[in-house]
C-alpha cells in the first residue's frame, strides 16, 4: 500500500492547480443521481468531481489511496466552506475490500479508478460497489478502454501483459478491459440490472495522466448498475 500510495501522491502533485475542474463524465451523470444523494466517489483523487456533486446538493465520501489527494480534497472543501458535506477515507482497492457498510450509499461513482487491478480483483471491487449500495442505488463506473488505439498500442509495446488486457508498466498495473470482459464480470457476480456502454469524453483539460498522449477524446467504457 505505501509504495502505491506514495507513487500516486507524486502523480497528483504534478496536476497544475489552475486546471482544477470537474469531468464531463461527472456532469453528464450527476443529472441521473437522486437529489441529495450520499455518493461514494471511488478513487476520487483531488476531489474535483466531488466538489461538483456537493455544489449540486449531494454529500460525498471519497475513497482513495493517496494521502496527498485526500488532503487536497479536504482543503478545497474547507476553502469553499462545504467541508460538512465531504468525508474522505484512505484505502487500497487492491485489497478487494471497500471500508463502508452494506447498503450505505445512494450512488457509487468512479472515473478511471478501477483501471489498476487484474480481472479477479476488478470483479471483487465491482461486487463491493454493489454491496455498499442501498436498494435502488445506482453505480456509474468509467474504465479506460482498449478502443483507444494509441494507448492500447503503447501498452502492448511497452508494458508486460500479465493476463488478457492487464499490463504492468513499471510498477503500475493498468487494465484495458473490453466491454465483453466487463459484461462477463457482471454476469459472474450475478448482477442482473446492468449495462456496459462506450462513453467518449472530449478532452478540455490536462487534469489526468492521459494528456501526454496528445489526444482529443478519452475512450471510456462505462459500467452502470442498479441494486435490487
Ligand atoms: C486517474 S486517477 C482518477 C482520479 C479521478 N477519479 C479523476 O477522474 O480525475 C486514479 C485515482 O485512483 C487512485 N488509486 C490508484 N490506485 C488505487 C488503489 N489501489 N486504491 C485506491 N485508490 C487508488 C489514485 O490515487 C487516483 O486518485
Amino acid at each position: 500500500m505505501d509504495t502505491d500510495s506514495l507513487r500516486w501522491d507524486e502523480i497528483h502533485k504534478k496536476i497544475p492547480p489552475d486546471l482544477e475542474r470537474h469531468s464531463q463524465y461527472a456532469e453528464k451523470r450527476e443529472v441521473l443521481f437522486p437529489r441529495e444523494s450520499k455518493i461514494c466517489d471511488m478513487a476520487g483523487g483531488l476531489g474535483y468531481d466531488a466538489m461538483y456533486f456537493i455544489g449540486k446538493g449531494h454529500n460525498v465520501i471519497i475513497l482513495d489511496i493517496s494521502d496527498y489527494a485526500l488532503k487536497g480534497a479536504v482543503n478545497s472543501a474547507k476553502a469553499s466552506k462545504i467541508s460538512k458535506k465531504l468525508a474522505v477515507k484512505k484505502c487500497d482497492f487492491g485489497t478487494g475490500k471497500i471500508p463502508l457498510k452494506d447498503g450505505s450509499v445512494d450512488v457509487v461513482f468512479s472515473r478511471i479508478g478501477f483501471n489498476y487491478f487484474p480481472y479477479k480483483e476488478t470483479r471483487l471491487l465491482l461486487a463491493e460497489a454493489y454491496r455498499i449500495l442501498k436498494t435502488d442505488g445506482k453505480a456509474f463506473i468509467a474504465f479506460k478502454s482498449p478502443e483507444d488505439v494509441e494507448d492500447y498500442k503503447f501498452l502492448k509495446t511497452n508494458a508486460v501483459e500479465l493476463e488478457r488486457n492487464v499490463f504492468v508498466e513499471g510498477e503500475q498495473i493498468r487494465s484495458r478491459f473490453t466491454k465483453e470482459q466487463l459484461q462477463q464480470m457482471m454476469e459472474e457476480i450475478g448482477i442482473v440490472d446492468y449495462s456496459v456502454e462506450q462513453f467518449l469524453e472530449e478532452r478540455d483539460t490536462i487534469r489526468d495522466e492521459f494528456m501526454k498522449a496528445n489526444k482529443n477524446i478519452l475512450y471510456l467504457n462505462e459500467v452502470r448498475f442498479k441494486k435490487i
Side-chain angles (χ1 to χ4, degrees), residues 196-213:
V196 182
E197 300 289 343
Q198 185 183 66
F199 182 93
L200 298 180
E201 187 174 89
E202 284 175 37
R203 305 204 52 79
D204 61 352
T205 75
I206 55 170
R207 66 192 283 277
D208 67 43
E209 68 196 279
F210 263 67
M211 186 59 185
K212 60 179 181 240

Side-chain angles (χ1 to χ4, degrees), residues 31-53:
V31 291
L32 305 174
F33 299 172
R35 294 306 88 195
E36 298 182 28
S37 282
K38 184 171 178 198
I39 300 167
C40 175
D41 187 348
M42 291 182 62
L46 290 152
Y48 306 137
D49 287 341
M51 298 308 137
Y52 178 72
F53 297 146

Side-chain angles (χ1 to χ4, degrees), residues 8 12 43 45 64-65 91-93 111-112 116-117 207 209:
W8 277 101
H12 286 295
D64 203 282
I65 200 168
C91 69
D92 179 1
F93 297 150
R111 178 182 175 277
I112 331 176
Y116 306 104
F117 315 99
R207 66 192 283 277
E209 68 196 279

Side-chain angles (χ1 to χ4, degrees), residues 212-228:
K212 60 179 181 240
N214 194 26
K215 291 187 289 275
N216 297 321
I217 300 280
L218 180 61
Y219 288 77
L220 300 172
N221 278 330
E222 181 192 36
V223 176
R224 276 201 221 182
F225 53 83
K226 186 174 164 188
K227 175 107 169 224
I228 51 172

Side-chain angles (χ1 to χ4, degrees), residues 17-34:
D18 56 332
L19 293 163
E20 293 177 12
R21 51 160 295 137
H22 65 271
S23 66
Q24 286 174 12
Y25 180 59
E27 195 169 321
K28 290 263 157 55
R29 290 300 170 257
E30 189 280 330
V31 291
L32 305 174
F33 299 172

